[in-house]
Each structure stands twice: as C-alpha cells, then as structure tokens.
Amino acid sequence: MRQHNCSSVLSFPPLLLLLAVLFTFVSSTPQNSLYRGSSLSVEDDSDILTSPDKFFTCGFYPVGTNAFCFSIWFTNTVNRTVVWMANRDRAVNGHGSRISLQKDGTMILTDLDGGSVWSTNTTGTNVQKLELLNSGNLILTDPQGKILWQSFDSPTDTLLPTQTLTKNTKLISAKGEGMYSSGYFSSFFDNDNVLRLIYDGSEISSIYWPNPGVTVFENGRTNYNSSRIALFDDMGRFLSSDQLSFSASDMGIGIRRRLVMNSDGNLRLYSLNESTMSWVVSWEALRQQCNVHGLCGKNGICAYTPKPQCSCPPGYKMADLQDWNKGCKPMFNLSCNQTQEVRFLKLPQTDFYGYDLNFPSPVSFITCKNHCLESCDCQAFVYRLTGEGTCYGKSVLFNGVKTPDFPGSAYLKLPKSLVTSEDSRPKGSDPTCGSNRTETPLDPSVMYDTQSGTTKWVYLYSFAVAIGVIEVFFASFGWWFLFRKHGVPTSMEYGYQAIASQFRKFTYNELRKATNSFKDELGRGSSGVVYKGVLRDDRVVAVKKLGDVIQGEEEFWAEVTTFGRINHMNLVRIWGFCSGSVHRLLVYEYAENGSLDRYLFPDVFRSIRSPLLEWNDRFRIALGTAKGLAYLHHECLEWVIHCDMKPENILLDSEFEPKIADFGLSKLSQRGGAGSEFSRIRGTKGYMAPEWALNLPITAKVDVYSFGVVLLEIVKGIRLSSWILMDEAVEMTGLTSLLREVKRRIGNDEEFCVEDVVDPQLKGKFNRKQASMMVKIGISCVEEDRNKRPTMDAVVQALLECKDEPQVHTANMLR
Ligand SMILES: *[C@@H]1O[C@H](CO)[C@@H](O)[C@H](O)[C@H]1NC(C)=O
Ligand SMILES: *[C@@H]1O[C@H](CO)[C@@H](O)[C@H](O)[C@H]1NC(C)=O
Ligand SMILES: *[C@@H]1O[C@H](CO)[C@@H](O)[C@H](O)[C@H]1NC(C)=O
Ligand SMILES: *[C@@H]1O[C@H](CO)[C@@H](O)[C@H](O)[C@H]1NC(C)=O
Ligand SMILES: *[C@@H]1O[C@H](CO)[C@@H](O)[C@H](O)[C@H]1NC(C)=O
Ligand SMILES: *[C@@H]1O[C@H](CO)[C@@H](O)[C@H](O)[C@H]1NC(C)=O
Ligand SMILES: *[C@@H]1O[C@H](CO)[C@@H](O)[C@H](O)[C@H]1NC(C)=O
C-alpha cells in the first residue's frame, strides 16, 4: 500500500492539483484488497481496488469539481456506471480526504479537516481486510473469512445480482440525471409487506407503484408474507416475498445486470451489451412514464406528445423555470367571496390523482360542477365517465396526467375575468407550434429522449444545477486556497452540504452537535424528550429522543416510514431520523409557538404568561386540526389513526397555524383490512374514547372522540378532561350538566345559550355562529356510541360552512 505524502502534494499549485484529480484513473496498479492499518487517498489515482475479474472498481469517484464520493463502479462501461456510494449526500474534498481501515477495525471516511463523514459498524472487531468481490460487493472480513460488513447491506439506487433488498434497505433515486445525491423516488418494503415505489417530495409524498387505485391482490401481490425480502439472481430473475416476480427480457446466465431506481421515478433493470459496453433496458416497472407521481410538481400535467412532457394548465405558469418539481403557480387569485365570478375550463382526458374532497358520487355532471362551485377548497373537479359518472373535487392539483386512456376530464376553476387562450392547453411544448404567448414556457425542462431502443429522461435543469454546483465548488476552492495560505484549512462541507436536504438519516453526532449536546429541552411526552436544535443548513428543528430504547427496530422503522410519507400543512413534518444501536431519534419541523395547551390552560407555575388566544385563532386552530386529522383518516393512502389527540400534541407555528404532532402512538392499518387491532392501550386519560375501556375494536372514531374533547376545550378555555375526571359532585353542577343541557336542546332543535359555554376571558368577543357550531360538533364527537360520531371529513365540512361567515355577512350587507 502506497503511503501518501501530503506535504509534497499540497505544495503543488492548486490548479495543477485539480487537473491531476480530473485526469484520474488513467493508469492504475490494480489490487483487490486493503489491509488493516492502511488507507486509500483521494489524490492518488492508483488508490483503487478492483474486483478479481476487473469488472468493478472501488475508490473515490468525482461527483463535482473537487467533490468526491467513495464509490463502486463498473470499470469499463462506456460511461462509468456507479453502483454504490458510501457518502452520496456528503461528498468529500478532493484534497486530504481518505478512506482508512483503522487499527480498531473501523473503516472510516475522513474529509480534509480529518472529520469523519462515514464509517462502518465494525469498531472493535477482528477485521483483517477490505475486499472487492466479482459480484461488486465490497466486504470487510476477519482472518477466518467471515463477513463483518458489506456494501450489499446498504444499497444506494442500485441492486446487483445476488444482492437482496430487505425490510431495512431501500433504493433511493438520485436527484437527477448525472447527479448522485439522494433524490425524490424510492423503492421499499412498505409496512404492509408490499414492495412499492414512492415519490417523497418537498410538498407531498405519494405511492404510485403498484397501482394505488386497486388492492394489493388486484396488483398480483400479497401482504401476508412479512419476511419482506427480495432477491435478484444471476439469471436476471427478481423474486420478492410479496409475490412480485419478473425477469429480464434477456434472461439467462453470463449477462451483467443492474436494477436501478432511476431519477425519473421508474425502476428499471439494465443488461450490459458487452460488445458495445453500453446498457440496454431489459425490464421496467412503469410502461406509462406519466404514472410516476410528483414528476411535474404541483398543478403540473404530464402528457404524451408522444414523449412524456410536463406542462402547465392554462392560467398557470412554471413556478421555477429550472425545476419541474416546483410545479406551476396560478396567475390569478381565487377568492371565495360571492362577488368573484368563476368559470370552469375543461382539460380533456386529464386526471389529477389524490387530494379528493369528500364529494358525493355518483352524481350528474351539473351536480358535480355545482359542488365544486360551492366549495371554497375546490380548485378543480375531475368527472369520470364510468358507470353513472364519478365526481372528484380536488383541493390540490397533484400528479396531473393527460392520457387518451382516461375516461373523463378535469375542469379547472378559474376567475371569469382571466383570459386564457385555448392553444395554451397542455400539449407538446414543440417550439415550432406557432404561438408567441409567453406565459406558458415554450420548452419545459423535461425532454424525453429515445436512444437506440432504450429510453432515457434528460433533465435540462440538472445541467443548470450542475453548473451551480460547480460554481459553488470553484468559489469554495478559492476560499480553501485563501485559508490554506493563512494556515487555516477550512472544510468545504458547506458547499456540498447544500446538495441534499431531503428527508434523511442523521448520525447521532450530527444531532448532538445540532442540539448543543441536548441542552435546550422543549418538552417531555410519553414517548420521549424533545430538544431544540439547529441543523447545519440553519434549519431550526425539534429533535425527539425516544426514551424507550427497548422499542424494536421494526416499530421504529414503521413510525419513520409513516412519517416520511405524510405531508400536510396541519401535520408536523418530519425531516429525518437517527437510528443507532442505542439511540433512536426523530427530527421534526420546529413550531415556534409551542403547544396549544400553553395557551388554553395557563400554567400558574410558568413565569411568562402566554397571551390569550383570540377567537379567530381558536377557530383557525380548530379547523386546521380537523383538516389534519381528516387527512390522516381519509386522504392518506394508508389509514392512520393518531390515538393520542390532545392540546399537547397540537403545535402552533409562527402564524398560529396548528400542526398535529406525535404520531408515535399511531399505527398504520390497511383501509378496510382486518389489521385494526391494537395490542395495547394508547392515549391519554380524559381524551380516550370509551372503546378503549370496553375492549371494542379501535377505529378512527377514537380520534374523533378526542378531537371533540379538544374542540370543547378550545371553546371553553378549560381542561375539560380534568373537570370530568374530578369529583362527581362538582362535575354534576359544572360543565357536564351544562353540556347535557346543551345536548338535550340540540336534540330538540332548541337554541342554547352559547355564551354560557364560551371562555369568559374572551369577554364576549367571539363569533356566535362559529362557537355554537363548534359546541354542537364537539358534543356529537364525544357520543359514547362511536357510530353516532361524525367522520373528520364531515367535521371539516361543517366547520368550513361557518368559516367565511363574517365576510359573506359583510358582502350581503353591501348589496
Ligand atoms: C455517455 O455520456 C455522454 C455524456 O454524458 C452521453 O452523451 C452519452 O450518450 C453516454 N453514452 C452512453 C452509452 O450512455
Ligand atoms: C453491521 O451492520 C450490519 C447491518 O445492519 C449487520 O448485519 C452486521 O452484523 C453489523 N456488523 C457488526 C460487526 O456489528
Ligand atoms: C415468504 O417469502 C420468502 C421469500 O420469498 C419465502 O422463502 C417464504 O417461504 C415465504 N413464507 C411464506 C409463509 O409464504
Ligand atoms: C449488442 O449491440 C450490438 C450493436 O448495437 C448488436 O448488434 C448486438 O446484437 C447486441 N448484443 C446483444 C447481446 O444484445
Ligand atoms: C394574489 O394575492 C396576493 C396577496 O393577496 C398578491 O401578492 C398577488 O400579487 C396576487 N396575484 C395576482 C396574480 O393577482
Ligand atoms: C404574436 O405577437 C404579435 C405582436 O406581438 C401579435 O400581433 C400576434 O397576434 C401574436 N400571435 C399569436 C399567435 O398570438
Ligand atoms: C372579492 O374578491 C375580489 C377579487 O379578489 C375582490 O376584488 C373583492 O374586493 C372581494 N370582495 C369582498 C367583499 O371581499
């Protein structure tokens, strides 16, 4: 092993060094193992390992100017094909970085500043050497040949023959063509044991394969086998425990293959043509590329022209000309007052998947249209010409696709005053198609490129981003040069950190640093302690350290995957997690204003009194919380029950917008499936539905009950739960008897005196109609018979009905 002399290299002019780095891998002295105590250096192009058959190479791979990742790639394919990376989201500097097999057995990747970027879990083991096998597997073995660590256990976006996909691994796409950091699409075993593809973007998460519109069994899968394992063999056959099986079109032995989660969201199997040394697609998960979710962003539409392309509907324009992920933004404002006239624009054969409003169906087209007209939340509706006609109101437009196969059309709600030209309707963005409108981008950044029978997405924006990245690196390089002169070797981490900030796994050290060694405690819950922290990219976060370390790895992953896919304005976003042998942590979005209980029930022991919540805020919090729960119950692909709704779990952001937190107790269960059994009681006294005590099946109605209690507390400004639990005598004369009376009157359609129920601290400043609606809903939610409780969707609808009351009122008076 060649020992590298750092000082001699560092005395080279940096530009020469850079060139030397760029002209790497020209000549090399192949070796296939690295022994304990030695290392590979980023500067030395002969510091690589090759597999005995020379097909695979392992070493530092350039991912940007002066940015490298420790990787494994196919040595001789036309364009070197990377199959694995240790540090795809944290590239290291082109100088001074190295991978070392330390004396203590750890294989560690260090950056210029000596800081650890990545390491294996082999500390303290009897590691002898690192070896690259013919299969492309990089392994650490002890003197007896036992494998202590292998790269096959932590795939990036590629699965190689003989490699397995397990419940602990996923394939995560790269950000874009020619990029390497983690992107938006992944392939993983879901909580119900089914292998799926999911889009996990900044605004939404959405499963798109296998077809989410039909059941697991209709997709030819099963969810009975919980082994969650898939094997891809030398013959080109793929077999998964959920009964998914497929084979390469050129099935047979002796052909090099790789299964890749592509950056366009498709999962493809590639076979190597050894005469041309290039890759040919021999299987792909989705024939219809537009069925991939999230491709064209919010309001965007994917259409075949015949190549799949993204475009914006009339009245919308691309939000970010470089990035379709950001979708399209409206060029109008739809207000929900009665003075603004709206019209509907038909987009034939177009569908938007998901985000359905709870509209009745089947109904006539006119009824469907009127429902959308009346609902403020309705941005558009999709009318399907199947059976008697199905009506879907859309609150958000995502996953738009236009295909001749779709038996229906979408109708966009637009202000009547907005002029749109019919020729700006989604279609190919062929620049020769003679229109000189400027609102719709002429050439959307996604092009579809057919190359020798294989298809490939080319993201123009990736070039733009790449140029940006290169700029950052050049800038950083300058800095490094300056600082080096002054003897301050500064890490360039900042530049490459910016590359990736999606949902991800954090290291314990990272979180310890972020939270300043867990100093700033935000609160304590049943499931753990929450600390405030600041990530390297300056995002303020809440880090929850789960106290219960006994909690199984599996349960933890379950929770994390639940989170990872849920994305709604009224639900706390999770940014990532950390799962070590001892530590389990979750990283959440930080809510500036803390939890609702602080405002509702002022604590006499707290020195700073929280301000009184105004009525408008109370109503908004109630509505937002209802929307969040309705989303969990009705709109998620999986049916999620929270099980622990209480003011402590409703966080308030800087605008006092509520965000439901702590899904730690929730459990996924298949919609309509038999899986709604809970093994142990969850929840908090005073908010728990009677079902828990009665041993009845637990359904989403337990959340409705708890929500009812919270709703009444928001109105009354008092801890209702503790009141009811208190002494019988006090209780009967207090709130409960009042509620009984109210209930009786509601039952008899009588008016009740809402002033008696509303928080007296508001001094009468509240909206009477909203307050009585909230009390009525609250009481119907806490019905003992769960069948009598409304659904969360119905609650949202009822609250929405009185939402714009003041505005409509004024409008009527003006007329
Ligand atoms: C190799 O990469 C270049 C540039 O990225 C591209 O033009 C070319 O088509 C690629 N070749 C193959 C066989 O993929
Ligand atoms: C390292 O982690 C892998 C995967 O989690 C595990 O299979 C292996 O046994 C671990 N090795 C050691 C030495 O703990
Ligand atoms: C589950 O799948 C694994 C892997 O495909 C298989 O070996 C096992 O027999 C299956 N178990 C059952 C009960 O079907
Ligand atoms: C490999 O590519 C060459 C040239 O395109 C073609 O003639 C040959 O049939 C291919 N071989 C295989 C096994 O597909
Ligand atoms: C829509 O309203 C927002 C704020 O109310 C305003 O900033 C924006 O310019 C408006 N957009 C259009 C197209 O009128
Ligand atoms: C193109 O622009 C010119 C002048 O700006 C205008 O007269 C003409 O009508 C436009 N053509 C179309 C198809 O919009
Ligand atoms: C209704 O909306 C329109 C368009 O946004 C606005 O100009 C008008 O002032 C609004 N009227 C009322 C009464 O809010």
Side-chain angles (χ1 to χ4, degrees):
M1 183 64 250
R2 209 191 127 189
Q3 222 21 61
H4 195 78
N5 184 340
C6 268
S7 59
S8 77
V9 166
L10 286 182
S11 60
F12 272 54
L15 199 62
L16 266 185
L17 240 176
L18 190 66
L19 289 178
V21 166
L22 288 175
F23 286 100
T24 48
F25 313 110
V26 179
S27 68
S28 54
T29 22
Q31 49 184 354
N32 75 335
S33 37
L34 181 74
Y35 288 86
R36 201 169 166 138
S38 41
S39 62
L40 300 175
S41 152
V42 69
E43 283 111 341
D44 194 335
D45 48 309
S46 64
D47 267 3
I48 51 173
L49 300 183
T50 50
S51 57
D53 67 4
K54 310 257 187 304
F55 245 100
F56 290 99
T57 305
C58 159
F60 285 92
Y61 187 91
V63 295
T65 312
N66 201 42
F68 289 78
C69 289
F70 181 59
S71 319
I72 300 171
W73 62 89
F74 277 97
T75 318
N76 293 315
T77 52
V78 171
N79 289 339
R80 277 182 285 153
T81 312
V82 174
V83 298
W84 179 80
M85 277 186 171
N87 55 319
R88 66 194 298 201
D89 293 324
R90 281 186 77 184
V92 293
N93 203 309
H95 309 276
S97 303
R98 54 178 54 239
I99 185 108
S100 323
L101 193 46
Q102 291 180 342
K103 290 251 158 42
D104 69 358
T106 319
M107 179 160 72
I108 187 167
L109 174 62
T110 50
D111 208 339
L112 171 70
D113 60 2
S116 160
V117 169
W118 173 90
S119 63
T120 59
N121 60 350
T122 48
T123 312
T125 58
N126 188 20
V127 165
Q128 186 197 24
K129 63 176 177 182
L130 175 73
E131 207 177 345
L132 183 59
L133 304 181
N134 283 341
S135 58
N137 195 5
L138 186 67
I139 58 169
L140 279 175
T141 51
D142 67 7
Q144 286 74 46
K146 186 174 160 238
I147 296 177
L148 298 170
W149 173 89
Q150 54 181 341
S151 62
F152 270 16
D153 283 343
S154 55
T156 46
D157 63 354
T158 304
L159 205 66
L160 290 171
T162 72
Q163 187 174 3
T164 51
L165 191 66
T166 68
K167 61 182 155 204
N168 295 332
T169 53
K170 1 166 138 180
L171 303 181
I172 300 176
S173 73
K175 269 258 167 67
E177 190 78 17
M179 299 171 90
Y180 301 95
S181 60
S182 303
Y184 304 109
F185 302 99
S186 41
S187 157
F188 71 112
F189 276 104
D190 211 339
N191 293 69
D192 65 349
N193 309 319
V194 176
L195 183 66
R196 295 208 158 95
L197 301 185
I198 187 172
Y199 166 78
D200 188 10
S202 48
E203 282 190 85
I204 58 155
S205 303
S206 189
I207 286 173
Y208 55 90
W209 184 83
N211 184 358
V214 302
T215 67
V216 169
F217 298 95
E218 284 170 301
N219 276 311
R221 311 283 190 91
T222 162
N223 50 19
Y224 294 144
N225 191 327
S226 60
S227 52
R228 298 190 198 168
I229 188 162
L231 179 72
F232 170 37
D233 71 12
D234 280 326
M235 298 278 286
R237 282 180 308 211
F238 183 94
L239 196 66
S240 152
S241 59
D242 67 354
Q243 284 183 0
L244 164 70
S245 73
F246 62 81
S247 357
S249 53
D250 54 3
M251 192 172 87
I253 209 128
I255 298 175
R256 296 276 167 179
R257 295 189 181 88
R258 62 193 173 105
L259 182 70
V260 185
M261 184 69 236
N262 284 143
S263 58
D264 65 2
N266 215 333
L267 182 69
R268 295 192 183 87
L269 179 60
Y270 292 89
S271 301
L272 185 66
N273 180 331
E274 293 207 32
S275 65
T276 59
M277 287 310 264
S278 59
W279 296 100
V280 181
V281 175
S282 46
W283 177 84
E284 61 186 344
L286 291 112
R287 304 242 92 180
Q288 302 275 315
Q289 182 64 42
C290 283
N291 288 343
V292 172
H293 286 176
L295 266 185
C296 299
K298 191 174 181 172
N299 302 317
I301 297 171
C302 181
Y304 301 97
T305 63
K307 306 167 192 168
Q309 277 179 329
C310 291
S311 59
C312 291
Y316 289 80
K317 65 178 176 193
M318 234 179 133
D320 177 349
L321 289 175
Q322 323 258 284
D323 187 356
W324 269 113
N325 256 295
K326 306 257 162 62
C328 309
K329 60 179 184 204
M331 296 183 290
F332 54 87
N333 279 330
L334 266 188
S335 80
C336 208
N337 64 31
Q338 290 161 359
T339 54
Q340 192 182 32
E341 288 192 284
V342 297
R343 67 190 173 106
F344 287 98
L345 181 78
K346 179 177 181 180
L347 304 176
Q349 299 169 331
T350 304
D351 187 22
F352 290 95
Y353 183 87
Y355 303 91
D356 295 345
L357 293 166
N358 198 15
F359 281 7
S361 225
V363 292
S364 72
F365 174 78
I366 297 294
T367 316
C368 184
K369 180 172 161 181
N370 285 339
H371 277 303
C372 187
L373 209 52
E374 283 157 17
S375 163
C376 281
D377 284 353
C378 186
Q379 307 278 319
F381 67 94
V382 169
Y383 195 73
R384 266 182 88 119
L385 304 168
T386 46
E388 292 164 72
T390 344
C391 173
Y392 303 90
K394 299 288 171 183
S395 55
V396 193
L397 305 180
F398 258 115
N399 310 319
V401 52
K402 178 182 165 139
T403 141
D405 306 340
F406 184 69
S409 301
Y411 297 82
L412 287 184
K413 198 194 251 181
L414 299 174
K416 214 165 209 164
S417 50
L418 185 81
V419 186
T420 58
S421 129
E422 281 300 297
D423 59 21
S424 63
R425 180 177 294 162
K427 63 177 180 191
S429 43
D430 186 350
T432 60
C433 269
S435 122
N436 50 4
R437 295 170 47 84
T438 47
E439 299 96 300
T440 35
L442 278 182
D443 195 24
S445 318
V446 180
M447 295 190 308
Y448 201 63
D449 193 12
T450 308
Q451 241 178 17
S452 58
T454 76
T455 49
K456 202 153 63 78
W457 282 74
V458 181
Y459 285 80
L460 280 187
Y461 74 83
S462 67
F463 293 118
V465 173
I467 288 169
V469 168
I470 288 169
E471 260 172 28
V472 168
F473 283 116
F474 268 106
S476 323
F477 195 87
W479 276 103
W480 175 79
F481 185 60
L482 282 177
F483 279 110
R484 194 184 62 89
K485 281 258 160 145
H486 295 98
V488 190
T490 308
S491 153
M492 283 186 256
E493 251 165 40
Y494 181 76
Y496 24 93
Q497 275 300 300
I499 298 173
S501 59
Q502 274 297 299
F503 173 79
R504 67 180 185 97
K505 186 167 176 162
F506 291 85
T507 64
Y508 184 70
N509 273 340
E510 224 173 322
L511 295 182
R512 204 184 49 205
K513 235 185 244 170
T515 56
N516 196 6
S517 300
F518 304 102
K519 283 237 169 63
D520 192 356
E521 188 177 315
L522 290 172
R524 276 166 193 270
S526 50
S527 47
V529 189
V530 184
Y531 303 90
K532 188 174 174 179
V534 182
L535 296 183
R536 282 158 193 258
D537 57 9
D538 292 335
R539 253 186 303 172
V540 183
V541 292
V543 177
K544 180 161 129 193
K545 205 172 189 178
L546 299 171
D548 188 10
V549 188
I550 317 153
Q551 182 197 35
E553 184 89 21
E554 216 159 308
E555 200 174 334
F556 185 70
W557 274 98
E559 184 175 10
V560 170
T561 41
T562 312
F563 273 126
R565 84 169 51 135
I566 289 173
N567 198 348
H568 184 276
M569 175 185 175
N570 297 115
L571 299 172
V572 168
R573 180 93 173 111
I574 183 174
W575 297 122
F577 65 98
C578 161
S579 166
S581 49
V582 217
H583 306 289
R584 299 275 155 78
L585 300 103
L586 293 170
V587 181
Y588 300 99
E589 138 187 38
Y590 174 73
E592 285 83 350
N593 279 319
S595 55
L596 177 61
D597 58 309
R598 288 201 353 213
Y599 297 89
L600 286 185
F601 327 119
D603 182 349
V604 285
F605 300 110
R606 199 176 288 128
S607 49
I608 308 161
R609 250 186 100 84
S610 305
L612 182 72
L613 272 184
E614 299 280 338
W615 179 260
N616 282 347
D617 286 329
R618 294 192 194 209
F619 182 75
R620 200 150 35 83
I621 291 165
L623 179 60
T625 309
K627 281 184 179 170
L629 273 180
Y631 181 84
L632 285 179
H633 290 176
H634 308 288
E635 283 178 54
C636 283
L637 277 174
E638 305 282 347
W639 175 38
V640 180
I641 310 179
H642 187 290
C643 291
D644 197 14
M645 275 312 297
K646 54 182 174 183
E648 284 78 357
N649 282 334
I650 299 171
L651 304 184
L652 303 172
D653 73 3
S654 55
E655 251 100 59
F656 281 89
E657 189 64 39
K659 287 175 186 286
I660 301 174
D662 205 350
F663 300 81
L665 300 174
S666 79
K667 180 176 164 167
L668 284 178
S669 42
Q670 269 313 98
R671 216 188 277 256
S676 46
E677 300 292 324
F678 284 80
S679 48
R680 59 170 195 257
I681 289 191
R682 297 143 191 264
T684 304
K685 246 188 176 159
Y687 296 89
M688 277 159 71
E691 289 97 292
W692 291 110
L694 300 174
N695 237 344
L696 290 169
I698 296 308
T699 64
K701 291 291 175 71
V702 301
D703 285 349
V704 176
Y705 182 95
S706 314
F707 175 80
V709 177
V710 174
L711 195 59
L712 293 171
E713 288 178 344
I714 291 176
V715 176
K716 183 74 186 154
I718 201 169
R719 184 78 85 174
L720 186 66
S721 45
S722 57
W723 259 80
I724 292 174
L725 291 177
M726 266 203 292
D727 193 286
E728 275 293 291
V730 178
E731 183 206 338
M732 292 314 287
T733 56
L735 195 58
T736 321
S737 59
L738 178 67
L739 291 181
R740 286 215 179 133
E741 178 60 16
V742 170
K743 207 162 153 182
R744 191 189 62 77
R745 286 174 181 234
I746 293 173
N748 297 337
D749 270 346
E750 283 176 50
E751 275 297 304
F752 64 94
C753 187
V754 71
E755 277 77 9
D756 293 346
V757 193
V758 175
D759 190 348
Q761 295 180 82
L762 286 170
K763 301 204 169 68
K765 283 191 201 142
F766 64 92
N767 180 318
R768 219 172 164 277
K769 180 137 191 173
Q770 290 176 349
S772 42
M773 180 58 88
M774 281 164 75
V775 173
K776 277 185 198 168
I777 296 172
I779 286 172
S780 65
C781 287
V782 297
E783 279 284 352
E784 286 210 6
D785 178 357
R786 62 195 152 109
N787 297 320
K788 286 194 186 151
R789 294 176 211 151
T791 63
M792 283 317 297
D793 259 351
V795 169
V796 171
Q797 286 304 326
L799 286 174
L800 278 176
E801 267 164 34
C802 56
K803 181 185 167 197
D804 288 317
E805 192 61 23
Q807 275 177 17
V808 172
H809 201 64
T810 338
N812 288 342
M813 292 208 305
L814 285 175
R815 261 186 232 136

